[in-house]
Amino acid sequence: MSQAVSYSIQDRVGVISVNSPPVNALSQPVREGILDAVRQAQRDDSEAIVLHCQGRTFIAGADITEFGKPPREPHLPTVLGALENSSKPVIAAIHGTALGGGFEVALACHYRCAIASAKVGLPEVKLGLLPGAGGTQRLPRIAGVKAALDIITSGNPVAAGKAHDMGLVNEIIEGDLLEGAIRYARELVESGAPLKRIRDIVIDPATIEPGFFEQARKRVNARARGQIAPDRIVSCLEAAVELPIDQALERERELFRELVTSPESAAMRHIFFAERQAAKIKGLPKNTPEREIGKAAIIGGGTMGGGIAMCFANAGIPVTLLEISDGALDRGMKIIRKNYGITVKRGKLGEDDVKRRMGLIAGTTDYAEIADADIVIEAVFENLELKKEIFAKLDATCKPEAILATNTSYQDVDAIAAATSRPEDVLGTHFFSPANVMRLLEVVRGEKTADDALATVMKLGKRIGKVCALSGVCYGFIGNRMLGGYGREAQLLLLEGCTPQQVDSTLERFGMAMGPVAMGDLAGLDVGYKARQSRGTAGDDPRPYAVSTRLVESGRHGQKTGAGFYRYDSETRKRIPDPEVEAMIREEAEKFGIERREIDADEIIARCLYPLVNEGAKILKEGIAQRASDIDVVYVFGYAFPAAKGGPMCYADQVGLKEVYERICGFQEQHGGKNWAPAELLRELAESGGSFAEWDRGRV
Ligand code: 3H9
């Protein structure tokens, strides 16, 4: 037996114990260990078998690091076959999260018991995969096809209580899990309970409404955003209804193999590990002390400040919202209440939860009342002088060791820190709007930010449900700095021959949640207009802003005014192409002497996305981002870049950096100017046949 699995007999029950930290993933030694133990149990005098895991969780799935490498025996289906065909009842004892291959192992057992805090699920779709060890066949046999489809295509876990109600878990154990599981096993033996093999259940095709799968396929494909796994999952469930189980399992295996070798799954696995990697700060010792965060304060109760306050309250951390006047405070609190109200309406939160969370949010207009906060986050509008003033006040009021953070999107964090006598306690926490929804938190490290302050905030980010990525100080940090070229090229494409809908639908087909032109309408065209005026960028190349400026000046500010680049249906907010705008674009193009031409999807994608890659490469070389994979995390979690493309840097790696580089050089030749000057790092990697992933590996 492998070291990862041990076997003993307790009270005439064979106990297979998996111990493979951190999450008992089904690596080769675990698979081999379980197989050996089940075989041994067939030969000894045990009367039942309990499969139990040590550490924080039951098996959390296949070992994702093994995908893409040559498979090693025993394969998971062999292990499952041994469990299912055992001559003695096998009981899975679940705690933590039985996910993916882990839940599939449990489904191959004859019975499942779990503690109340446990969860089960098949999250493979989140890795661009489908459950490849019988999950698509066994789950619908006990949960029903519809419930199985929901669970597998959403990838969301099911809590033990609900799983029990659905028949996925047979018994909820109170107290010690292993003791309870052995007791349950004895009861089963003594009552002569049968060996329940889920595979023996037959799904009656007559129970499936006509057109069910066709509709399911349409539904999943409509929101697939470049993912192919949801479609293949529907095929597997269809097979569960139509084919005998062995043939259906073969079909599942075949489709799993297609997915595991697909670029989509490689990209999604990349993001899985990138997310975890991004939380780690290079050069920071593991034992860096962390400050206690028991109380937070937010300066500014606008949309951002309110959203950030909600993040703290949602995580159970008391938070005080500070505003300049009672009226402003009142408005801020009202917005928060309204937002919670929407969540209640959607059935995602109960009234009691809202009450508890609102109870954690206090309001004040007095700095003295936030003096004892462990962290203060300033979220007022983007004015450096105002921010400096606030930080000087915080410096004078807050207790020593308090972390002073700014939610600025582009101001100089070092200049803000210099307004205090304790720049080591100052850093940036850049939330994304709406702050209570968007997962990304860019943590900005100032020149003098102390290690322990940084480590504390990275940990706090996870506690409030965020995915953290570290950025150095520069204009716009990682995400917004890169975005400039993306928006610019989208606008230039309009002048050169595209319609807004052509640009948007091409990028949406690529997988972006919303195309760049429609995104401008959503954010408000007046925002950029005002920023351009205050920065005095009139001297810059006017072409990328020309149409937008005309739209704003004619009262078309985007969705909020019912029209921008598109017109919007007042009820559905559906965008409607507008010939008036198309005429305006043609006029502007003519003014600049631009000859309009046919532009294909391939050029639209390269023109919009390669600037992200190019700027990303500069950011990497400058050390603003720690890793290329951190940049991918920023884009997937903060800018809705499709996970199935892995973020801009992973996408560039998949295309091949040589091709990306040559294309950028081609655009530079075609369009001239500094916009397309290729990044040095991109050139180096392209010329040496390297990739961003390799660059990361050399520098982690
Ligand atoms: C599958 O099962 C396919 C089968 O259907 C078919 C097979 C034929 N493998 O997230 P954390 C690492 S597909 C390898 O920070 P938490 C993770 O990288 C799989 N490594 O902890 C991290 O490493 P490090 C289906 C894994 O407590 C460390 O463990 N299963 C795996 O916040 C801690 O992770 C899934 O998709 C893995 N499967 O959350 C479940 N899982 O410390 C994926 C984790 O070096 N896992 N690691 O950065 C999760 O969702 C979460 O990790 C879990 C724990 C909820 C379990």
Side-chain angles (χ1 to χ4, degrees):
M1 210 164 298
S2 70
Q3 277 195 334
V5 180
S6 58
Y7 177 73
S8 62
I9 300 183
Q10 299 178 37
D11 204 7
R12 280 168 295 138
V13 172
V15 176
I16 302 174
S17 184
V18 180
N19 185 12
S20 181
V23 296
N24 292 313
L26 287 159
S27 59
Q28 190 276 341
V30 171
R31 297 195 300 273
E32 186 177 75
I34 297 175
L35 185 61
D36 288 350
V38 187
R39 286 179 176 157
Q40 185 172 332
Q42 305 306 305
R43 298 189 296 266
D44 63 26
D45 58 2
S46 61
E47 293 172 321
I49 303 165
V50 164
L51 176 59
H52 172 261
C53 292
Q54 293 183 36
R56 64 202 219 210
T57 180
F58 190 79
I59 300 162
D63 184 342
I64 305 167
T65 59
E66 286 186 355
F67 295 145
K69 297 180 187 157
R72 287 168 63 203
E73 290 188 342
H75 302 310
L76 193 51
T78 312
V79 180
L80 267 56
L83 290 164
E84 196 164 52
N85 295 323
S86 161
S87 57
K88 304 169 183 181
V90 187
I91 298 103
I94 301 171
H95 74 293
T97 43
L99 298 178
F103 187 37
E104 291 176 298
V105 164
L107 290 171
C109 296
H110 304 115
Y111 295 90
R112 286 152 296 283
C113 63
I115 54 171
S117 60
K119 288 180 182 162
V120 300
L122 294 170
E124 284 86 345
V125 71
K126 296 185 180 178
L127 299 169
L129 297 170
L130 54 80
T136 67
Q137 302 308 307
R138 292 190 181 90
L139 189 62
R141 282 174 163 75
I142 50 169
V145 174
K146 189 176 172 310
L149 183 77
D150 288 347
I151 292 172
I152 306 175
T153 54
S154 74
N156 294 333
V158 182
K162 189 167 175 211
H164 182 254
D165 295 344
M166 295 172 77
L168 315 185
V169 165
N170 307 91
E171 184 85 359
I172 299 288
I173 303 284
E174 309 269 346
D176 184 79
L177 174 62
L178 183 56
E179 275 173 24
I182 294 174
R183 205 170 42 242
Y184 178 50
R186 293 250 33 102
E187 280 167 27
L188 290 169
V189 169
E190 273 142 35
S191 64
L195 299 178
K196 281 195 182 170
R197 302 194 325 162
I198 296 177
R199 61 148 45 227
D200 295 337
I201 300 170
V202 176
I203 303 170
D204 177 2
T207 58
I208 310 297
E209 296 157 30
F212 174 82
F213 289 112
E214 205 183 312
Q215 276 173 17
R217 202 178 290 284
K218 246 193 221 154
R219 209 171 45 243
V220 299
N221 284 336
R223 47 168 204 246
R225 297 185 56 207
Q227 296 176 37
I228 54 172
D231 177 85
R232 307 303 189 268
I233 289 168
V234 176
S235 300
C236 286
L237 288 165
E238 236 173 332
V241 178
E242 288 166 6
L243 300 177
I245 183 140
D246 287 320
Q247 276 179 41
L249 284 170
E250 191 39 52
R251 178 98 182 103
E252 179 196 79
R253 208 67 216 133
E254 209 179 275
L255 292 174
F256 178 81
R257 274 195 293 265
E258 178 201 347
L259 294 180
V260 83
T261 52
S262 69
E264 288 84 357
S265 175
M268 292 176 88
R269 279 158 16 219
H270 161 80
I271 279 296
F272 176 85
F273 289 114
E275 176 186 342
R276 281 147 184 89
Q277 196 68 9
K280 296 170 191 152
I281 301 177
K282 280 196 240 171
L284 218 64
K286 264 209 161 141
N287 56 0
T288 304
E290 280 163 27
R291 304 184 194 180
E292 197 75 34
I293 302 288
K295 208 169 169 211
I298 315 292
I299 314 289
T303 318
M304 262 335 252
I308 299 170
M310 287 170 80
C311 295
F312 281 93
N314 294 348
I317 304 171
V319 55
T320 303
L321 200 63
L322 185 142
E323 258 296 356
I324 42 167
S325 67
D326 288 337
L329 190 58
D330 223 40
R331 274 195 299 280
M333 288 299 215
K334 265 191 197 131
I335 296 176
I336 295 178
R337 231 172 267 125
K338 189 176 143 215
N339 283 339
Y340 274 134
I342 296 171
T343 322
V344 171
K345 256 195 202 145
R346 289 191 183 143
K348 289 189 176 161
L349 212 59
E351 290 287 358
D352 282 356
D353 295 317
V354 173
K355 215 166 162 195
R356 204 172 39 248
R357 290 174 198 202
M358 283 306 296
L360 288 170
I361 307 177
T364 185
T365 53
D366 181 1
Y367 273 77
E369 284 194 28
I370 60 164
D372 63 342
D374 301 306
I375 181 166
V376 182
I377 299 179
E378 164 276 311
V380 304
F381 60 89
E382 293 287 4
N383 178 310
L384 185 60
E385 290 315 308
L386 175 64
K387 285 180 194 281
K388 282 189 192 165
E389 232 172 74
I390 289 172
F391 272 75
K393 235 184 252 175
L394 291 175
D395 187 25
T397 337
C398 293
K399 66 177 188 185
E401 294 279 289
I403 293 174
L404 309 180
T406 170
N407 176 54
T408 181
S409 322
Y410 56 85
Q411 302 286 357
D412 183 347
V413 173
D414 291 329
I416 295 171
T420 72
S421 63
R422 37 172 142 172
E424 64 282 2
D425 295 333
V426 178
L427 43 72
T429 47
H430 181 206
F431 288 79
F432 288 69
S433 189
N436 52 314
V437 177
M438 293 297 286
R439 299 282 316 281
L440 181 67
L441 177 62
E442 258 183 332
V443 177
V444 185
R445 177 191 220 160
E447 197 191 329
K448 296 194 174 144
T449 306
D451 286 355
D452 65 333
L454 210 54
T456 304
V457 171
M458 295 300 276
K459 188 69 155 296
L460 175 67
K462 186 163 182 187
R463 202 171 143 202
I464 62 172
K466 300 295 168 200
V467 177
C468 295
L470 186 70
S471 172
V473 175
C474 67
Y475 186 85
F477 313 124
I478 297 174
N480 283 344
R481 172 171 157 184
M482 284 167 63
L483 203 60
Y486 176 69
R488 177 194 71 226
E489 291 304 314
Q491 293 293 316
L492 289 175
L493 283 165
L494 298 182
L495 295 179
E496 288 172 37
C498 293
T499 58
Q501 53 276 24
Q502 192 189 350
V503 173
D504 284 337
S505 61
T506 302
L507 284 152
E508 283 159 11
R509 269 198 306 278
F510 174 84
M512 301 300 287
M514 189 182 263
V517 185
M519 187 55 101
D521 270 0
L522 178 68
L525 301 177
D526 55 322
V527 179
Y529 180 84
K530 280 184 206 143
R532 285 196 294 281
Q533 286 198 321
S534 71
R535 278 208 313 269
T537 44
D540 286 2
D541 178 359
R543 293 172 308 165
Y545 315 117
V547 182
S548 184
T549 299
R550 261 185 77 172
L551 290 169
V552 173
E553 289 174 354
S554 62
R556 301 177 67 131
H557 293 190
Q559 274 202 28
K560 59 187 164 193
T561 57
F565 279 94
Y566 299 93
R567 280 189 299 111
Y568 291 88
D569 183 289
S570 57
E571 264 169 36
T572 61
R573 290 211 186 157
K574 205 171 171 271
R575 58 192 195 216
I576 305 161
D578 190 343
E580 245 180 71
V581 175
E582 283 160 31
M584 205 184 273
I585 292 171
R586 275 195 301 275
E587 278 167 33
E588 289 300 318
E590 208 169 299
K591 256 194 230 162
F592 292 113
I594 298 171
E595 200 166 314
R596 287 169 61 81
R597 61 191 165 93
E598 284 283 316
I599 298 175
D600 63 13
D602 177 62
E603 179 174 347
I604 294 173
I605 288 173
R607 289 276 298 277
C608 291
L609 298 187
Y610 290 178
L612 293 177
V613 179
N614 203 34
E615 197 63 32
K618 289 179 192 168
I619 279 173
L620 261 186
K621 184 92 177 185
E622 289 168 27
I624 295 292
Q626 302 189 91
R627 316 170 181 93
S629 64
D630 286 14
I631 296 178
D632 288 333
V633 165
V634 166
Y635 264 76
V636 168
F637 292 100
Y639 296 82
F641 196 96
K645 297 289 193 295
M649 311 311 270
C650 172
Y651 173 65
D653 273 353
Q654 287 196 344
V655 171
L657 295 191
K658 186 168 177 290
E659 178 169 340
V660 174
Y661 172 69
E662 284 171 357
R663 208 68 200 275
I664 288 178
C665 292
F667 289 140
Q668 192 188 26
E669 237 167 67
Q670 199 180 337
H671 301 282
K674 60 180 183 349
N675 285 345
W676 285 106
E680 205 183 307
L681 177 62
L682 180 62
R683 182 183 54 74
E684 283 166 19
L685 291 175
E687 286 175 354
S688 64
S691 66
F692 290 124
E694 280 162 18
W695 196 81
D696 274 0
R697 275 197 288 279
R699 282 171 165 71
V700 173

